[in-house]
Amino acid sequence: MAQKTSPGALQAPMNAPLNNPAAAAQALLHNPGAAHAFLNNPGAATQALLTTAGATQPLLSNPGVGQQITSHPGAIQPHISTPGTNQPFISKPSAAQALMKSPSASHALIRSDRGSMLSMSDDNVMMKQIMTTHAPDGREVDVRPLLYLVEDILNRATQHVDFLVKGTLAQIELEEKAQQANYIAMLEALTYIIDRIACELSYKAMGGSDAHATTTAIFNLLSSYAWDAKLVLSLSAFALNYGEFWLLAQIYSTNQLAKSMAILKQLPSILEHTAPLKPRFDALNNLIRTMMDVTRCVVEFKELPSMYISQEVPALATAMTHIPTAVYWTIRSMVACATQISSLTSMGHEFAISTSESWELSSLAHKLKNIYEHLKQQLSLCYKYIDERKDVETYQMLLNLFDPSVMHIDNMRILKALIYARDDKLPLLDGSTKRHVSLDVLRRKNVLLLISSLDFSSDELAILEQIYNESRVHATRLESQYEVVWIPVVDHSVVPLTGEIQTKFENLRSTMPWYSVQDPKFIEKPVIRFIKEVWHFRNKPILVVLDAQGKVVCPNAIHMMWIWGSNAFPFTSLREEALWREETWRLELLVDGIDPIILNWIKEDKYIFLFGGDDVEWVRKFATAARSVATAARIPLEMVYVGKSSKREQVRKVTAIINAEKLSYAWQDQAMVWFFWTRLESMLFSKIQLGRADDHDPMMQQIKKLLSYDREGGWAVFSRGSNTMVNGHSSTVLPALGGYDEWKVKVPEIGFESAFKEYHDRLHDVAHPCCRFEFPTTTRIPENMRCPECRRFMEKYTTFLCCHDEQGIPGSLF
């Protein structure tokens, strides 16, 4: 009687003869170790099985069971009867023939190659074989258009896989570059070789050929092409097959022709079992995406501009030695993917239950990922090298453009080189209308480039805006015929800009009434280098003046702007010299544009003391002594406290005490204090910039004295009307006032101001207050400087200075 077995199991008789080929199958079914040996080495395993006695059960001919045998030997155990049981015999072809002819056997052979493939420790022998196939004939193939098509196919195919397996379909807008006419001619020339490779992939996958042999055959077909072309052409062939598979999957439910074709490929059955297929599809997708990454990387190496980089550069040389290996393993991965798709369509979804195939794909993906990461690192080094070469070229181009001997029709070449060279964007923001505009709004105009970091003090900005707006009021005046453009200088190592930096930039830009560069990244690294090295920008704002032809007529007009405002138009060095020739050491020079009250005192010919410092006791003594002398001499005296160039908080405290004790008039607005010292410092640097910082300039001596006194303590400037008579340090001014009883006898003879000056100078000659200048690294330092007191050359020191005053007056140079 026949014993009932589990469904799908065939029944066989006992005592089958040893020479019956079915005996091999019996041994296979009852000996898992032999089955495993067969899967890894069919020839040796078959020989062993044929010599095994007692093997009586034939190979199961049920396709489902056969697939289970070849996929996973353990999976068929429920169908194997206990030895010794009587089962009817059904004659079938020999087991060896069945294995070698069935798709199951073919895939078993393919899997037998997997172990050797992934355990191969020495790629050199294999790559030497591949290198023998490489015989490029010099033909150039523009693979980029073809790559766009391939990416489109594979991206859409893998998206559909994600949708089927995960229930999501990402919407990716792909470039429609494949529709251009010039691509058609390219495809006509390459279609034949792509079809040959596609057939090779399909045929060898179905036939169960060795993966390395299939890969080598593809390399033989592509022997005359360069490495990047080999890779893109192979990927194109794979995309044809893979894209066709998923195209049917997408449309078979709505298209009868596609439905019939899909049934032949078992697609409905496959798609109905997406859950067990998920590991396989995930592994396929991951490997395909890695293949695309490597392909893009190899193509990018081919597209590197030879004018900026050669194969002698270490990064590119290293990459070129690894590209053949990358191409080999990418094409070999295509063979593996094609085999997996073939197994699905030829054997159905049951074949996909095994995780071993997913492991094979994952192993290949891991290997390719390592290759890709290495190539990407070398590509990054190549791009860095190219950027450096381009930066050097751009910097040299800027030097050539700004060569004084080079003439330009207008200023557009200059402005494009500095701000934005392309025409695809509007690079400027109009501060008055808040609209983006092109550089054409500056054509043939005098342009003031306001160059600064994002640390632009509100005081500086407010004063500059006031000067600018005043010039705009008189639109028909010559002085208003210029435009200001803000050039922000930011750290290019921070890309993209952090939210904090971007917000700071936008807030600062929004307050400016003139033109601004709309994106700090428009100002490229070589431009910043040029600004720093040629125009000596450090941290403080500078104002570079370009005439209507783009020629630099003043390397920094910020000093002129602070001293004379728009009256310095057209802000050339010649205009700067002319303005200095018209100036004298007078009180208006110090306070012009700051305080109209003092200007009224000057008009009234009053006696005036400007004084400063941060020593409250000295301020009290000085103010009291000055009032006492003025009362005794019966002169109209006015005093104004103008603070100090630093220590803003201490200046506020002194001002509060002056107000509370009614010692004198004091500037309440710290912006006025800042502007006073900024203008004074600008006078010094304007002279230095013009090369006029010599000791034959009496005005320069007075400026240096006042700046030096500010560093050393209190000071006072005494004048009658606009004529300044005394510029003294605290150590001489207060004693001079205290000695009034000695010098008052000369007042009737030579006048109050002359008598005071004569006595003060006598004290000064004895005291000789020490002078000190400290130039921060943000400014250009003169080669040497004479002491304004003794006229000897001053010693130069490197000084580290901290006033512990975070609220110090912004922009102070000393």
Side-chain angles (χ1 to χ4, degrees):
M1 293 181 60
Q3 182 178 348
K4 186 175 181 181
T5 62
S6 56
L10 298 179
Q11 303 192 358
M14 296 178 59
N15 304 320
L18 292 178
N19 61 355
N20 188 329
Q26 176 71 15
L28 174 63
L29 295 176
H30 289 279
N31 189 338
H36 180 71
F38 183 87
L39 295 176
N40 286 279
N41 192 333
T46 302
Q47 179 66 28
L49 290 172
L50 292 177
T51 59
T52 301
T56 58
Q57 184 173 351
L59 176 69
L60 302 176
S61 59
N62 186 304
V65 179
Q67 291 161 14
Q68 289 176 320
I69 293 174
T70 54
S71 311
H72 184 52
I76 62 167
Q77 291 302 321
H79 303 282
I80 303 175
S81 64
T82 304
T85 57
N86 294 327
Q87 299 178 2
F89 176 78
I90 302 175
S91 178
K92 290 291 179 183
S94 72
Q97 292 172 356
L99 280 172
M100 296 307 295
K101 292 181 179 180
S102 70
S104 309
S106 299
H107 292 294
L109 291 177
I110 295 169
R111 283 194 304 281
S112 73
D113 176 63
R114 182 178 64 245
S116 61
M117 174 184 70
L118 297 176
S119 65
M120 188 178 296
S121 60
D122 186 7
D123 283 355
N124 291 333
V125 175
M126 174 189 67
M127 288 311 300
K128 285 180 180 178
Q129 180 184 0
I130 294 300
M131 294 302 293
T132 60
T133 69
H134 185 58
D137 57 8
R139 73 181 71 184
E140 289 293 329
V141 178
D142 181 12
V143 297
R144 178 60 70 174
L146 189 57
L147 184 57
Y148 284 134
L149 281 174
V150 173
E151 287 178 325
D152 186 62
I153 294 170
L154 294 180
N155 280 330
R156 295 180 188 278
T158 52
Q159 284 180 73
H160 193 70
V161 174
D162 289 340
F163 175 72
L164 289 172
V165 176
K166 303 175 184 178
T168 59
L169 180 59
Q171 297 299 320
I172 301 176
E173 293 297 330
L174 299 169
E175 298 182 70
E176 298 295 337
K177 296 186 176 181
Q179 305 301 322
Q180 298 181 15
N182 58 325
Y183 292 2
I184 305 302
M186 177 272 299
L187 288 172
E188 287 177 352
L190 299 176
T191 298
Y192 175 75
I193 188 66
I194 293 173
D195 284 341
R196 287 281 309 274
I197 300 168
C199 292
E200 190 77 18
L201 282 171
S202 299
Y203 175 75
K204 294 295 175 62
M206 291 294 295
S209 296
D210 173 84
H212 174 67
T214 303
T215 307
T216 305
I218 293 173
F219 272 96
N220 284 323
L221 289 174
L222 296 167
S223 62
S224 58
Y225 292 91
W227 293 109
D228 64 312
K230 293 181 197 289
L231 195 49
V232 175
L233 291 171
S234 300
L235 194 63
S236 303
F238 170 75
L240 276 179
N241 295 340
Y242 193 66
E244 179 186 7
F245 177 84
W246 286 112
L247 178 62
L248 287 177
Q250 290 180 27
I251 68 173
Y252 85 94
S253 61
T254 59
N255 184 292
Q256 185 58 46
L257 174 61
K259 183 176 183 180
S260 299
M261 294 179 65
I263 292 173
L264 284 178
K265 290 181 175 288
Q266 302 190 62
L267 276 178
S269 175
I270 294 172
L271 299 179
E272 288 171 4
H273 298 81
T274 55
L277 291 175
K278 184 179 184 302
R280 178 77 64 85
F281 285 140
D282 286 344
L284 267 173
N285 280 349
N286 186 40
L287 181 53
I288 289 171
R289 286 166 184 154
T290 307
M291 286 158 44
M292 291 168 65
D293 287 338
V294 174
T295 303
R296 278 190 291 263
C297 198
V298 170
V299 171
E300 284 187 63
F301 274 110
K302 180 62 179 297
E303 293 175 342
L304 292 177
S306 58
M307 63 185 296
Y308 294 112
I309 191 169
S310 66
Q311 293 195 18
E312 284 71 34
V313 176
L316 183 55
T318 300
M320 296 309 294
T321 61
H322 289 88
I323 281 178
T325 303
V327 174
Y328 171 81
W329 283 107
T330 306
I331 296 178
R332 180 132 172 193
S333 298
M334 297 175 203
V335 173
C337 290
T339 299
Q340 299 304 314
I341 295 300
S342 173
S343 68
L344 287 174
T345 57
S346 62
M347 300 178 61
H349 69 276
E350 294 90 346
F351 178 75
I353 296 175
S354 170
T355 59
S356 58
E357 282 70 26
S358 298
W359 174 84
E360 175 184 347
L361 298 178
S362 299
S363 299
L364 280 169
H366 178 73
K367 185 178 187 70
L368 266 192
K369 191 73 173 178
N370 289 336
I371 293 173
Y372 169 66
E373 291 297 334
H374 177 74
L375 287 180
K376 188 170 69 172
Q377 181 182 15
Q378 298 306 310
L379 187 62
S380 177
L381 293 174
C382 288
Y383 282 137
K384 182 179 179 182
Y385 178 87
I386 291 169
D387 288 342
E388 290 172 353
R389 290 285 305 275
K390 287 183 176 180
D391 287 349
V392 170
E393 182 182 75
T394 302
Y395 181 76
Q396 186 59 49
M397 179 267 291
L398 287 169
L399 291 176
N400 296 337
L401 280 176
F402 282 97
D403 188 327
S405 63
V406 177
M407 301 298 294
H408 302 285
I409 299 175
D410 57 26
N411 55 4
M412 294 313 295
R413 283 191 66 194
I414 294 291
L415 293 174
K416 285 185 176 183
L418 289 172
I419 298 174
Y420 194 72
R422 298 188 293 274
D423 297 323
D424 58 332
K425 293 181 181 179
L426 300 174
L428 298 181
L429 180 73
D430 187 337
S432 60
T433 64
K434 304 304 179 185
R435 293 179 179 176
H436 291 166
V437 296
S438 70
L439 291 173
D440 282 330
V441 298
L442 306 174
R443 189 184 295 273
R444 295 191 179 91
K445 290 186 178 180
N446 294 282
V447 177
L448 277 59
L449 301 175
L450 176 60
I451 302 170
S452 79
S453 67
L454 300 185
D455 296 320
F456 208 141
S457 79
S458 57
D459 289 335
E460 284 178 297
L461 194 55
I463 298 296
L464 198 58
E465 183 177 349
Q466 179 183 338
I467 295 171
Y468 177 81
N469 288 334
E470 287 175 357
S471 72
R472 299 293 106 171
V473 172
H474 308 287
T476 58
R477 286 172 48 184
L478 184 65
E479 296 84 26
S480 66
Q481 303 304 307
Y482 65 88
E483 297 291 349
V484 177
V485 179
W486 180 43
I487 307 290
V489 176
V490 299
D491 184 3
H492 271 248
S493 64
V494 183
V495 177
L497 298 180
T498 63
E500 181 182 357
I501 294 177
Q502 185 68 30
T503 300
K504 189 175 184 180
F505 162 74
E506 290 174 358
N507 290 340
L508 188 57
R509 184 185 61 181
S510 66
T511 64
M512 296 181 175
W514 43 76
Y515 294 107
S516 303
V517 173
Q518 64 138 317
D519 190 338
K521 296 190 292 294
F522 285 174
I523 311 303
E524 298 177 342
K525 285 191 292 184
V527 175
I528 294 176
R529 178 189 170 192
F530 181 86
I531 288 171
K532 290 181 176 180
E533 294 185 8
V534 178
W535 291 341
H536 306 286
F537 169 78
R538 298 297 181 266
N539 294 317
K540 289 180 62 62
I542 64 173
L543 205 60
V544 179
V545 183
L546 307 179
D547 66 11
Q549 284 72 45
K551 181 180 179 182
V552 176
V553 292
C554 183
N556 188 8
I558 196 75
H559 310 307
M560 275 191 278
M561 186 68 82
W562 295 144
I563 301 169
W564 297 290
S566 292
N567 290 330
F569 182 86
F571 305 103
T572 65
S573 298
L574 292 175
R575 176 61 175 162
E576 191 173 15
E577 289 184 343
L579 288 169
W580 274 122
R581 284 195 296 269
E582 298 169 5
E583 288 290 355
T584 58
W585 179 246
R586 55 198 177 95
L587 199 57
E588 289 96 332
L589 178 64
L590 295 177
V591 299
D592 188 30
I594 300 177
D595 191 348
I597 293 177
I598 300 176
L599 297 179
N600 289 333
W601 293 345
I602 294 172
K603 291 178 182 177
E604 296 169 4
D605 202 32
K606 288 186 176 183
Y607 294 90
I608 304 168
F609 264 120
L610 259 66
F611 68 101
D614 61 346
D615 186 340
V616 175
E617 288 305 314
W618 182 86
V619 167
R620 282 197 181 102
K621 292 177 182 179
F622 170 78
T624 302
R627 289 291 182 198
S628 176
V629 169
T631 300
R634 297 179 180 179
I635 60 171
L637 178 68
E638 299 290 351
M639 293 184 292
V640 55
Y641 174 70
V642 299
K644 188 177 177 66
S645 65
S646 60
K647 301 185 179 180
R648 175 173 284 200
E649 286 303 318
Q650 183 63 20
V651 168
R652 284 199 181 102
K653 292 178 182 178
V654 173
T655 301
I657 292 172
I658 290 174
N659 293 335
E661 301 178 10
K662 298 181 180 179
L663 297 175
S664 74
Y665 172 59
W667 285 341
Q668 307 302 311
D669 187 354
Q670 291 297 308
M672 297 171 69
V673 177
W674 171 84
F675 195 35
F676 173 83
W677 290 106
T678 296
R679 291 183 75 254
L680 196 62
E681 293 158 358
S682 294
M683 294 174 197
L684 172 66
F685 282 97
S686 174
K687 291 278 189 178
I688 292 174
Q689 183 171 273
L690 291 173
R692 300 291 188 270
D694 59 343
D695 297 297
H696 301 292
D697 185 345
M699 198 180 329
M700 187 64 173
Q701 300 309 308
Q702 297 298 333
I703 294 169
K704 290 196 294 184
K705 279 185 181 182
L706 192 50
L707 289 170
S708 175
Y709 295 160
D710 176 62
R711 295 300 304 170
E712 295 296 333
W715 58 271
V717 170
F718 176 71
S719 71
R720 180 176 181 180
S722 65
N723 299 319
T724 56
M725 305 298 294
V726 173
N727 179 9
H729 187 259
S730 59
S731 61
T732 57
V733 173
L734 188 57
L737 290 172
Y740 173 68
D741 289 340
E742 295 183 35
W743 55 267
K744 68 181 180 181
V745 296
K746 286 196 173 183
V747 170
E749 178 186 350
I750 60 177
F752 179 88
E753 61 273 19
S754 297
F756 176 60
K757 181 180 186 307
E758 184 181 277
Y759 188 78
H760 174 269
D761 289 349
R762 193 162 67 241
L763 294 178
H764 176 271
D765 291 341
V766 176
H768 265 313
C770 185
C771 289
R772 179 167 64 134
F773 294 91
E774 291 165 343
F775 292 89
T777 56
T778 56
T779 60
R780 284 191 285 180
I781 302 174
E783 287 297 320
N784 53 61
M785 181 176 285
R786 289 186 183 272
C787 175
E789 300 288 352
C790 66
R791 312 298 290 275
R792 289 179 295 186
F793 280 112
M794 303 177 75
E795 294 186 38
K796 186 183 293 186
Y797 291 90
T798 300
T799 303
F800 293 91
L801 182 67
C802 178
C803 294
H804 306 287
D805 181 22
E806 294 182 358
Q807 299 298 321
I809 297 174
S812 177
L813 296 178
F814 299 95

